[in-house]
Amino acid sequence: VQLQASGGGLVQAGGSLRLSCAASGRTFSSRHMAWFRQVPGKDREFVAAIRWSGGHTYYADSVKGRFTISKDSAKNTVLLQMNSLKPEDTAIYYCAGSSSGAILSTIRNIDSYIYWGQGTQVTVSS
C-alpha cells in the first residue's frame, strides 16, 4: 500500500487548508487512517484519525473543533480539513494507515500505523 499526501502550503493565521491522502497498491485493508504531524526536534504527534468502517473520528485536543477528518471510500482517500489555523499548527503532516487488525484502543498510537505517506509541509504565518 502506498500513501500519497498532498495539499500543504503556506497560509496566514486564521486561514484554511485541506490535506488529501490517496491510498494505492494492493487491496486497501487498513482499519484506521490517521494524520500525524512533526516539527523539527520533536516527536511525531497524533492529529486525527478515522475508522474506515463506520467513519468514527478522533482528534487531538489541540485541533478539536478546528480540524475535520473524513474519507472517500470509493477513492480510498482521506481528507483533513484544517480551519482557523494557528502558527503552532506549522509542521510536516503525514498520513498513515493501520493494519487490518488494529484495535480501537490504539487508534491514537503511532505504533499502530504501518503505512506512511511522504509528508506535506504546512506553514502558518502570524
Side-chain angles (χ1 to χ4, degrees):
V1 175
Q2 291 82 44
L3 302 179
Q4 181 70 40
S6 61
L10 172 65
V11 65
Q12 289 188 330
S16 298
L17 283 174
R18 189 175 77 164
L19 306 184
S20 178
C21 176
S24 63
R26 61 190 176 107
T27 304
F28 179 71
S29 61
S30 289
R31 179 161 288 180
H32 311 136
M33 293 291 292
W35 289 92
F36 287 77
R37 66 187 182 187
Q38 188 171 25
V39 297
K42 292 190 175 182
D43 292 337
R44 195 169 296 188
E45 67 172 5
F46 171 79
V47 175
I50 187 167
R51 293 173 63 181
W52 201 253
S53 176
H56 297 283
T57 57
Y58 305 83
Y59 297 94
D61 288 342
S62 59
V63 307
K64 199 172 295 183
R66 300 188 297 121
F67 290 12
T68 302
I69 189 171
S70 61
K71 65 182 178 73
D72 183 337
S73 299
K75 297 181 179 179
N76 285 347
T77 297
V78 176
L79 303 173
L80 185 68
Q81 178 67 42
M82 305 185 294
N83 299 330
S84 302
L85 282 161
K86 304 175 181 180
E88 51 263 44
D89 294 319
T90 295
I92 299 175
Y93 283 70
Y94 298 89
C95 63
S98 75
S99 68
S100 60
I103 58 176
L104 180 58
S105 62
T106 66
I107 198 167
R108 293 179 173 83
N109 188 338
I110 193 170
D111 294 332
S112 180
Y113 295 88
I114 60 174
Y115 305 113
W116 290 89
Q118 83 285 9
T120 184
Q121 176 71 48
V122 170
T123 303
V124 184
S125 63
S126 56

